[in-house]
Amino acid sequence: MGKPTGFLEYQRRDRSYEPVDERLKHYREFVRPLSEDELRRQGGRCMDCGTPYCHTGCPVNNLIPDWNELIYREDPRTALAVLHRTNNFPDVTGRICPAPCEASCTLNLIEDPVTIKTIEHAIVERGWAEGWVEPVVASRRTGKRAAVIGSGPAGLACAQQLARAGHDVAVFERNARIGGLLRYGIPDFKLEKSVIDRRIAQMRAEGVEFHPNSNIGVTRPVGDLMARFDAVVFAIGSEVPRDLPVPGRELAGIHFAMDFLAQQNRRVGGEKLAAPDILATGKHVLVIGGGDTGSDCIGTSNRHGAKSVTQIEILSMPPEHEDKLLTWPDWPMKLRTSSSQEEGIKRDWSVSTKMFTGKDGHVTGLSSARVEWRTSNDGRPLMEEVPDSDFEIKADLVLLAMGFVHPVKQGAVAETGLALDARGNLKADTENYRGSVDKVFCCGDARRGQSLVVWAIREGRQCARAVDEYLTGSSDLPR
Amino acid sequence: MQARQGLYDPRYEHDACGVGFIANIKNRKSHAILAQGIEILHNLAHRGAVSADPLAGDGAGILIQLPDRLFRSEAERLGFSLPEPGAYGVGMVFLPRSAETRRACEAVIAHFVAAEGQTLLGWRDVPVDPSVLGDSIRPNAPVIRQCFIARGANCVDADALERKLFVIRKQAHKELRARGLPDSGNFYIASLSTRTIIYKGMVICERLAAFYKDLEDERAESALALVHARFSTNTFPSWELAHPFRYLAHNGEINTLRGNINWMMARRHSMTSKLLGADLDKLWPLIGDGNSDSATLDNCLELLVAGGYPLPHALMMMVPEAWSENPLMDPDRRAFYEYHAALMEPWDGPAALAFTDGRQIGATLDRNGLRPARFFVTDDDHVVMASEAGVLDVPEERIVRKWRLEPGKMLLIDLERQRIIDDDELKAEIATAKPYQQWLDQTQIKIESLPDEIAPMAPPRAVLLDRQQAFGYTQEDISFFLKPIALSGEDTVGSMGRDTPLAVLSSRPKLLFDYFQQRFAQVTNPPIDSIRESLVMSLVSLVGPRPNLLDLETGGKHIRLELHKPILTNVDLEKIRRIEDNTGGTFRTSTISICYPAADGARGMRAALDAICTNAEQAVRGGHNIIVLSDRLVAPNRIAIPALLAVAAVHHHLIRGGLRTEVGLVVETGEARQLHDFCLLAGYGAEAINPYLAFDTLSALRHEFDKELSEAEAHEAYIKAIAKGVLKVMSKMGICTFQSYCGAQIFDAIGLGADFLDRYFTGTVSAIGGVGLDEIADETMRRHRLAFGDAPNYRDALDPGGDFAFRVHGEAHAWNADTVSLLQHAVRGNNYRKFKEYTRLVGEQEKALISLRGLLDFDYPADPVLLAEVEPAREIVKRFATGAMSFGSISWEAHTTLAIAMNRIGGRSNTGEGGEDPQRYKPLPNGDSMRSAIKQVASGRFGVNIEYLVNATDLQIKMAQGAKPGEGGQLPGHKVDDWIARTRYSVPGVGLISPPPHHDIYSIEDLAQLIHDLKNANREARVSVKLVSELGVGTIAAGVCKAYADHVTISGHEGGTGASPLSSIHHAGEPWEVGLAETHQTLVLNGLRGRIAVQVDGGIRSGREVVIGALLGADEFGVATAALIAAGCVMMRKCHLNTCPVGVATQDPELRRRFNGTPEDVVTLFMFLAEEVRELMAKLGFRNFDEMIGRTDKLKQRTDVDHPKARHIDLARILHRPDVPAGTKMHQCETQDHRLGRALDHQLIAACRPAIEKGEMVVVDLPIRNVNRTVGAMLSSEIARRYGDRGLADGTIRARFVGTAGQSFGAFLARGVTFEIEGAANDYVGKGLSGGRLIVYPPHASKIERDKAIIVGNTVLYGAIAGECYFSGVAGERFAVRNSGAVAVVEGAGAHCCEYMTGGIVVVLGETGTNFAAGMSGGIAFVLDESGKFPQRCNLAMVDLEPLADQDEHIETLEHRGGDLEMHGLVDVVHSLTQSDAKLLHGLVARHAGFTQSPKAKTILADWERYRSRFVKVMPIEYRRALLQIQARTRAAERPEVSVAVGAAE
């Protein structure tokens, strides 16, 4: 809080971006931080609510009012400690989290929320800059061994917590480098990979062993892990993308977004590419799907030098402003424009794809139609095609960014025989994260289904506590 | 007496009443005295009470001297003869109806008479007429006989026989109680004395003499008669609890009773008596359990008298004046009190005590003077004293003195010396009888005088953190308590209610402190204002052994250690530790560690506690006289026992051993940090507390403070805040002295098991049972492990806590992001499905035990009814009300939104304490109404005038508020904007104080009076009384019903607030389930339930909770927080900061614009709630809401609870259904008979018709008596209904009365009405005066000088809004208290004059009492200070004193203006502020002279120049500033006409 009347005195001010022309020339982050004075004032806008909606609005329950106050009172070091109490990777969430906390901020009910994410980011970067971020080395070792399959945000958070509880932890990653979705899914211009590297360094110091190039269930049997470890955590993500099975889907030039993005991330990271280049340079790019992944495709395409980028979405265009009285503090459906969309894009809504058209086996466009949405009697949304609304969109690169359906079942999951829930995710509850097989735990998108990084971190942390309880009978790790 | 059942417990019975006596100073016995005593009793009858049975009174009685002539002839008739007077005693004995038991009782008396060496002469059947008894009383009335006992050879004189009779009586009682014969409960010896006899019983006052034939027998003669009319909260017949007792009759209440009883028990070992010798042992137990406070008081007094103390001396010990903070007291008297402070802790509480031993008769008042007592003396040697004036008609010219008993003063008539001894003479005599100052000098050591010591330094941070964690510190302890307290020196304030689980329901380890809730005063005794009336408060604590209570001789030997306040710095503690070396071994301190090996685990605590108790006992027996219980040695391998547990265990162990008064108990603990902790430690016996860890924490925090504070300053500020807070907590119960608070156990336990409590907290009760030592030890163990363990989140930080603001890893809150947002979305979207989602969440929270009702399940019958058959929702919503939130605490927008919504559905909204803008009385064009149906009448009486009252559907007397029971409030000046000032009739910018008590309610009969006043003011409105749940609230509610309230609200402790101390929000009051169930059960047991509607509130959020409330006995429901949330509140808990971001709880125009609530949303909430209620009713098989009320058989306690603590809870007492005859009413279905038919106002109204209807001038002449109460209110309501606040033109109605007016004369008198009395008036004259004029002067026949005679009683002009008063005589205490705008002239006033005044003018042409202008934030006063003593008597905290400006020409102007003032009574304060004080004053004195013919006023006017300079002007500092601001603003706006007018405008 700092200042009880701060919210009446200070306007919301947020970080700015490099101009579009500039930032399109490179793949680096382009956010310009606030000055320290401004940051302090922004912290002073926090009202220290008796019921802090941000606190539960945030999936990891960040102690937002506490560190806002500390920033206002110019105690960044304590703020850093408080920040790390609930979040292993605030440097990640401070960059790429959509910030449900800000949607739920009490100030957002009436006006503009506190710049929570910006403050979070500033605290942790200050911490790194000052050398305040240190490994937290367990004071005693339990001698118990835990394996974590998958090095995305859930796996890493889980591994870090387990190591801090004194267990011997090994992380297995099928890719060449550690980081999972963070490294391969998110473009550098949103999350530079050094951010992950320094966390890996920290975790190494805390005793975590990393095993890249280890595709468990494929290059190495799960049984191996089950025999050698006291607990095995499946944090394998939700990698199977939603497909668009319409005529013409087999045409060349139609790719899943993640194939496109991962390749670019490898390219930037200097890795050798195993597959042929997918480049947007000089092309008419069509992105199907209006989520974050779609945006990443747009930003990447524009940096490649696409001739045009179009994004379509089957849902109707959301309202520009939500009805706050009916949505706050929940996450509102409203029209948002990401930094990538700002960089140059045509957007269209209520568009359903009927078929891809092509020439010489290569896609040239798609036939689509307008749809209308209404609500059924039992409150579910219903879609209807608008008669005679067919139209064509020209495209020579189509990127499917329609989300992910469930984890990959071939390999580790199949070998272990883990039970799945109705949606095809690994079955486990959020009390003890236990999979259907003894000593197996499941967390992150693999259990929950595709979601935000911050949810993955939460799951990883809570799963670690469950594993710790399982291994030692009780746990001091926070939930 | 009714036995304990369900939640009803006879220990909570209260009583109060009227008391009076008449005596012949020359000790001339006559039957006439007796008859006059009976007449006094008749005229006090309205102060007593009757129950459902109109002839069943609560008790009445008379004490007279032994009527020797009557008994002598009766004895002759019965065949035995009496020895000479003084050589025999008579017992008045109530005997069982069963002949067999009766014979056994008589045999026991005979046995002890013989055993004590006396002679039983014979028995006499007392002639009685049972036909005058009520039908409910007659069947169980005792058989009443008198026994006659002649002096035996072992008694040298009457005194010795008197002592033997005492010993005989005590033993007979003990023996018969022990035998437990059938029906022996009726056995009771009302009196057994050589000098006095008592006739009393369950008879209404008017019938006492008809019942006891002796009283009408001309042979019965006495020189004195002491009478008493009782008003008990309950109606269970109890003959023995009627007053008088053997030595006294009492009007009031002893708040510290439990502690007094404990301390009496505690001194058994150290008590010996020269006079009683071996007989002393036969007297134990001194105090019979289950007696009333008055009976207990009498027991103690009797012991002291038997032990040799003169009667007045004993009373001075027990009920001392305020001495410690009184610089004006005579040094000898002060020494007397200081010396006796170590002998006897005060019996603290409001008390008017009339006492006699047959040779002396007198009366005394407690230090606060909270009960009225008026007396007069005649020229034919009679003294009459009574709770009211006018109880006995005596020709005016015979009266030579008319006065009142003043706070702490005593009146004594010594019949043997045949004269009146006044307070000064009496006390001087007693205070100089022994060299008390010399004894003090020899024995008293003050801690400051001990050589300085050096305290240990604070530990390093890591150790500090471990210790903090071991004692359960949370981040909130730092951020909400220690830090702000050290910075401000004040306890911290918060807002909204407590919505966290009880300690016993919480899944987090809770401190033992959290299992106790503070008790507080409501109705039967008033809380005190510890700030404004600090002169009566004392924190003095005496540490160490207490002297033998019955040693009157060797006072100079017993060394005592005195502390100014009971909180010890580390240095103080070291001084005490080393005291042996510095006092030559007189004191020996033993430090006992309350830590034990961690290896013994939780189960080791019991043995460790036993060992500590044994150690303590050995230390005492080994000659140590101070014990320090210490947890400083807490360490990874040493667990600290909760300090409260250790203190209470040792305290009670030593009491049981009779050793407690031989040792002082000090606690050195890391656990105490919040105010509540200190209160508990003291309440269970710690005489001093050293919170070393709080100090260490402050030392470590110092660098984080915004301002520079030295370590010592930070500690000092903290001690100051806690000390102030302790005073406040004491004062909430009406307790003034720490000495009597210490050990008084003013707490309810909640969730602790009976075994645990009986053993360690003997006398404390939990209504719901609960956990024992094992669970408490487990929690301690958990904390200890976390503290010294390795959990990452505790490595460098404290637990978040989350009690005061929601935190995910902290305590659960009923209102959290999910519940608030779901509710809002549901009502805004008019989406019932969403609402059900919300109530499902509420249900889940309850299942997870966020509140007691979560432990309840419905017992659904097999045969539900169809939903369609259930009473419609639109009917059910009429049972709903919103909370009492003032316009001031919430915004205009929020306040009117709630009002409009409630009016639409036929529910009720509540004004709260802040008046109401009259524009809200007119309906809006669209048919909506912003008028709040419930008009609250709270202690501040802001805006409570006759117009406000007649515009009410309900009139709610707020006795207490769930979030801060027993406390007043304060609206700081910066929140009082123009608008709020207007509705509160105050001045913008001037702070407003609501006093802790209603100054017209110090007891139950006072409440009855206020109810009567309000009913007179608005006959159509229901009068409601709002109480807060605590153990015993049921008996209070029964009393409230007997006081003719139509409605009672039981508020749970979850209730919200705009600003309250956090300690009150969290630690006072009980859940509503407990209070509601007790209320319903007690009302049903009393047969009173049908007469009163019961409302419950405090955290009701769902239909399920409404239904549970109904099943537990509620007719109606208050829903405040949920309604506010529906209107947009987001539970910011920042109401007290005025920064509410949604415009609900703020007056900031910028923020108010953000308000987004609508009446529709609020209506939707209530319709949804009702709909859910209907669904549950259908499932439960009820078609009609009324059928459901009190049906606890439809509730059951859940059996599926595996919560380690909650599974010990037993709700059987809450679910108890009283066993009553079929047909007993179970819900409100009858109406009260308010007895308005006899009101004098009917005659007045009839006579004034032409005035009321046509505005014609009317003059009425009427006689008046003290039984004519509240004269004028009904007449005023007739006027206000027609003309509103405007009233009639000045002088339209003039009513002249002759006689003594009853209470509340001229209450709420409307404009245009002038009331004039030739005679006198009682208390509450001009209460809520609404523009009328009051004139009172003594009868022309009176011979007494007017400025030496009392003319009006206490608490005159309370809450007056406008009008004029001229009283030619002296007023009692608290004249013009909370006056908002009336102008008054009086010729003398008692203590606390002009207290809390915010406007108006008071002129005192004579002496005033002390504490003038306490809390006076506005208005002005002029005092004629002829003796020059006034500055000492004035409380200068908020006012300046100044001489009158020298502006003679203005008087000239005044004269020339032809008496403008005379015509209108308009007083321009702004104008007078700068120049015309003299003019103003002169005009008022002139009017006074004109209206009353006051000789004093005439003298002053005749010699104006001389007198003018002797007037002192009392000017509130804040008021002057605000007026100057207004003046500046007015000038800037160039509107010179505008000014603030006070007085009768128009």
Side-chain angles (χ1 to χ4, degrees), chain B residues 10 37 240 313 656 665 675 838 920 989 1125 1352 1462 1522 1533:
Chain B
E240 61 182 81
H313 184 146
R656 279 191 280 267
L665 202 51
L675 170 58
Y838 153 79
R920 294 174 66 172
I1125 287 172
V1352 290
E1462 296 274 331

Side-chain angles (χ1 to χ4, degrees), chain A residues 7-8 47-53 55-56 61 66 73 85 109 111 136 139 325-330 476 478-479, chain B residues 475 706 790-793 797 805-809 817 820-821 825 828-829 1130-1132 1134 1139 1141 1151 1154 1156:
Chain A
F7 72 105
L8 293 171
M47 303 186 289
D48 188 26
C49 304
T51 309
Y53 294 82
H55 189 18
T56 41
N61 307 129
D66 303 40
R73 304 186 144 268
R85 209 170 284 155
L109 174 60
E111 42 163 298
V136 182
S139 54
L325 291 180
L326 287 175
T327 54
W328 177 88
D330 301 337
D476 287 337
R479 255 185 77 85
Chain B
Q475 292 174 25
D706 293 333
D790 200 27
N793 274 5
F806 179 87
R807 286 291 180 273
V808 164
H809 297 293
V820 171
S821 60
H825 295 170
R828 288 170 183 161
V1130 291
M1131 292 299 283
M1132 280 292 289
K1134 292 283 179 286
T1139 58
L1151 293 170
R1154 301 170 176 226
N1156 54 36

